[in-house]
Structure formats: C-alpha cells, structure tokens
Amino acid sequence: MTPNVNEEVQLLRAEIAAAAARLITEDGADYNTAKRKAARQILGDTQPPLNLLPDNAQIEAEVRLYQSLFHADTQPARLFRLRTLAVDIMEGLQAFHPYLTGAVLNGTAGPHDDIHLQLFADSAKEVEIFLLNRNLQIDISETPHFKGPRHGMVETVSFMWHKEGVHAALYELDDLRGAVKSRGDGKLARADIAAVRGLLVNSTNSTHPSTQPTSP
C-alpha cells in the first residue's frame, strides 16, 4: 500500500468514526449499527473492506470529542446521574457481585444510554426472583458473553429504575474469574461498586441529582 493510499484510508476511517459518533450520541445507535450506517452514508452501497472500518476505540474517542464540542453543558450531569443510580442499584444487588460496564463506566453516556450491569449468581432464576420480589417488572433477552462468541449468549434482565433503563447480564459464578481483566487498550471493561464510587468521588462535576433513590 502506497503512502498516499494509506493516508486516504486513514482519512476515510476517521470520517466514518466521526459520523458513527454522531449517530451514537444523537440517535442512540449502538456501535456496530452506527459503524455500518456511517459507512453507508460516506461510501454508499459499496461494501467497505474491513481495514477501512474504524474500531470501537477510535469511535469511542470520537464520541468523547463530539460530546465535548456539542454537549459539554449537559453530558457531565447526565453521566453523574447514571453513575449515582448505578451505585444505588449495585448496593441492592451486592449478593450477585455486580459490575458496571458500558458507556456509564467509560464516561461517554449520553441522553440515550442505559445502565449496563453484569451479575454473577448460581442461577439466572435466582436473580429474576430477587427482582420480582421487589416489584420490578422485568424483560428477558440475551447478550453476547464477554468472553467471546464461542461461549454463547447469556440471559439478560431489563427493568426501569427511576425512569432509567437497566440491563443486567446474568453470568455464572465461575465467570467471575474472567471479569477483572482490562480491555485491550488497558481500560477497565467492568468495575465493581468500590471502583464506581471512586469515579463519583473523583468527578469534577458539581451537578448532583435532586432526589435520593432507594435500593432495589
């Protein structure tokens, strides 16, 4: 690949990442959907080669940039609210070793983002009964296993908490051993309640939620 062609690929990849970031922030698209739509917007119906598509880390960086440019006055407060609610929920679910993941953890959560948790229990049914006994209406779906596609899908329970969506992927206790590894870029893929509390303590945001939620 010549330097000129390589430079063109880098520019196209950056353009796709920026367009994907806008779709994620403004429309609430997930990363894979945003990547595909952004590629179509820029390249038309041409199937792009894999090396032309940005990875999630590049898109995440563009999401941060987009938010800093267009949502700097609202995003920090939104993130603070979701992290505060996440701690509250995790306190109520401590028996199931809760971990926070997703945009609320990495700091890119915006108006369309929900709270994503990973729970570890002897059985999914145990968690479901726990939530139902607290008068929470739950929906059940599936989420890819964090260890990769060869491990299949895991059951996920979703419910509303103080008008925010919560999605808890339900793992077996044995999966805890693989739950503390960092992402490929060195950042945490998930955080326990102590780590999330630390994020709140270290936050420079001075906007706090006006109501104090109670535990599930």
Side-chain angles (χ1 to χ4, degrees):
M1 181 178 291
T2 65
N4 287 340
V5 173
N6 184 61
E7 182 178 348
E8 183 178 347
V9 168
Q10 295 296 333
L11 289 172
L12 279 172
R13 188 181 294 140
E15 189 176 357
I16 292 170
R22 182 190 63 78
L23 291 168
I24 291 166
T25 306
E26 300 297 347
D27 300 340
D30 63 78
Y31 274 58
N32 288 334
T33 300
K35 190 185 302 187
R36 292 195 304 270
K37 286 186 175 180
R40 284 199 301 270
Q41 288 176 3
I42 294 164
L43 302 173
D45 293 330
T46 303
Q47 183 67 28
L50 291 178
N51 70 330
L52 194 57
L53 295 177
D55 59 20
N56 286 353
Q58 184 174 3
I59 295 174
E60 182 182 312
E62 288 293 335
V63 170
R64 294 181 191 280
L65 177 60
Y66 189 96
Q67 288 174 335
S68 69
L69 292 173
F70 300 106
H71 297 285
D73 56 338
T74 58
Q75 194 270 337
R78 170 68 177 162
L79 177 62
F80 189 91
R81 168 179 165 78
L82 290 176
R83 283 178 170 173
T84 301
L85 285 174
V87 167
D88 181 66
I89 297 165
M90 293 168 79
E91 286 176 346
L93 296 171
Q94 284 192 80
F96 307 114
H97 313 280
Y99 281 78
L100 177 67
T101 188
V104 180
L105 172 60
N106 69 33
T108 63
H112 300 287
D113 285 293
D114 293 334
I115 298 168
H116 288 265
L117 302 175
Q118 294 175 348
L119 306 180
F120 300 83
D122 289 324
S123 71
K125 188 64 64 178
E126 181 183 358
V127 180
E128 293 167 14
I129 292 172
F130 181 90
L131 295 172
L132 290 171
N133 284 342
R134 279 147 185 81
N135 298 316
L136 291 172
Q137 181 177 342
I138 63 174
D139 294 315
I140 299 175
S141 59
E142 290 185 325
T143 300
H145 200 295
F146 65 77
K147 291 182 178 179
R150 64 189 182 90
H151 291 274
M153 306 290 282
V154 297
E155 191 169 300
T156 300
V157 292
S158 300
F159 55 92
M160 298 299 295
W161 186 250
H162 288 265
K163 298 182 179 181
E164 301 292 351
V166 181
H167 310 281
L170 309 181
Y171 292 91
E172 298 178 357
L173 282 174
D174 287 346
D175 290 320
L176 264 174
R177 288 177 291 182
V180 294
K181 295 180 180 178
S182 297
R183 304 190 320 187
D185 56 8
K187 297 179 181 178
L188 285 177
R190 57 194 58 81
D192 62 15
I193 190 169
V196 182
R197 286 191 183 115
L199 292 173
L200 286 173
V201 169
N202 294 330
S203 175
T204 58
N205 173 45
S206 60
T207 303
H208 295 264
S210 60
T211 58
Q212 294 297 321
T214 56
S215 299

